[in-house]
């Protein structure tokens, strides 16, 4: 479900800016969301995402487990909020998983600067696929996150985006799920997608 905010900052009849109204609505929805639901602010729209199904979580577990097996020095984070301001004026997203050096998120913040993030990952579902392929892709590139791994269940593909430049990644490698996907250094191993 998405609630749309106006593209430009406008004023309500009472003089309040709609941008702050959207932020207030986002904060209220985040606080009221049932356990397991995610609330994200992407390109001016509030998205309320239901809990993931078992297949989704198995894929997240498999990817992060393979990272652990190859790079024990890296943290594998799920449920970490990132501030991706270039996705919208107050972009706040919760990726399916984040790979960063251990200790990168040792504070009490709910949304973090993405500077330490080495790889961000999303696993599509019917309710999130359009955001994962569009606004989040642009936001992660603009934030300078080196790698964006998209496990696209609807298209049966694993896609690695790299070399961010502006609002896009300049390199894209796609494999069918079941084929190995090479993750370049600093990860430096082949992701076995046959386990998905």
């Amino acid at each position: 479900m998405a609630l749309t905010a106006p593209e430009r900052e406008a004023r309500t009849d009472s003089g309040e800016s709609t941008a702050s109204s959207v932020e207030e609505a986002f904060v209220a929805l985040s606080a009221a969301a049932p356990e397991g639901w995610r609330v994200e602010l992407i390109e001016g729209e509030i998205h309320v995402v239901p809990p993931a199904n078992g297949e989704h979580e198995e894929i997240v577990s498999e990817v992060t487990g393979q990272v652990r097996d190859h790079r024990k020095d890296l943290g594998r984070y799920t449920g970490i909020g990132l501030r991706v301001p270039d996705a919208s004026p107050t972009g706040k997203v919760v990726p399916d998983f984040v790979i960063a050096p251990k200790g990168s998120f040792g504070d009490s913040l709910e949304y973090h600067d993405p500077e330490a993030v080495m790889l961000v990952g999303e696993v599509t579902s019917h309710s999130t696929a359009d955001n994962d392929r569009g606004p989040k892709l642009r936001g992660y590139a603009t934030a300078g996150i080196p790698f964006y791994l998209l496990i696209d269940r609807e298209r049966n593909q694993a896609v690695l985006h790299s070399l961010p430049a502006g609002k896009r990644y300049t390199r894209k490698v796609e494999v069918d799920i079941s084929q190995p996907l090479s993750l370049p250094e600093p990860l430096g191993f082949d992701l076995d997608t046959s386990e998905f």
Side-chain angles (χ1 to χ4, degrees):
M1 171 178 79
L3 306 172
T4 306
E7 292 270 332
R8 287 175 258 125
E9 184 173 309
R11 300 271 171 200
T12 64
D13 292 339
S14 65
E16 179 182 343
S17 85
T18 55
S20 65
S21 297
V22 171
E23 181 70 21
E24 289 169 7
F26 170 78
V27 170
L29 284 170
S30 294
E35 178 107 14
W37 287 69
R38 291 185 301 169
V39 181
E40 299 178 303
L41 185 56
I42 305 169
E43 292 186 341
E45 292 183 349
I46 298 171
H47 295 267
V48 181
V49 182
N53 64 26
E55 178 187 19
H56 179 283
E57 290 304 293
E58 287 291 335
I59 293 171
V60 169
S61 176
E62 183 60 35
V63 172
T64 59
Q66 288 186 43
V67 171
R68 179 199 60 237
D69 292 346
H70 290 89
R71 291 293 307 268
K72 296 191 183 337
D73 59 318
L74 297 178
R76 300 151 325 275
Y77 303 94
T78 58
I80 287 288
L82 296 178
R83 287 189 326 271
V84 185
D86 295 317
S88 72
T90 54
K92 294 180 178 175
V93 298
V94 182
D96 289 327
F97 58 92
V98 169
I99 307 300
K102 287 182 178 178
S104 295
F105 307 111
D107 54 38
S108 62
L109 298 174
E110 188 173 351
Y111 291 92
H112 304 268
D113 187 297
E115 184 177 353
V117 176
M118 297 169 64
L119 180 143
V120 64
E122 300 286 359
V123 178
T124 64
S125 62
H126 295 297
S127 62
T128 66
D130 289 341
N131 279 334
D132 294 341
R133 293 182 198 121
K136 283 189 170 183
L137 172 69
R138 291 187 295 273
Y140 296 149
T142 305
I145 296 172
F147 297 101
Y148 173 37
L149 177 61
L150 177 65
I151 307 302
D152 197 327
R153 294 189 292 174
E154 286 71 27
R155 294 179 179 168
N156 198 42
Q157 292 182 321
V159 184
L160 182 66
H161 298 274
S162 61
L163 302 174
K167 292 187 176 191
R168 65 186 197 94
Y169 284 96
T170 59
R171 185 162 190 251
K172 176 179 171 181
V173 176
E174 300 173 334
V175 299
D176 291 338
I177 290 178
S178 79
Q179 300 299 310
L181 176 62
S182 181
L183 301 179
E185 293 296 340
L187 297 168
F189 71 93
D190 287 348
L191 182 69
D192 181 1
T193 70
S194 69
E195 297 295 320
F196 299 169

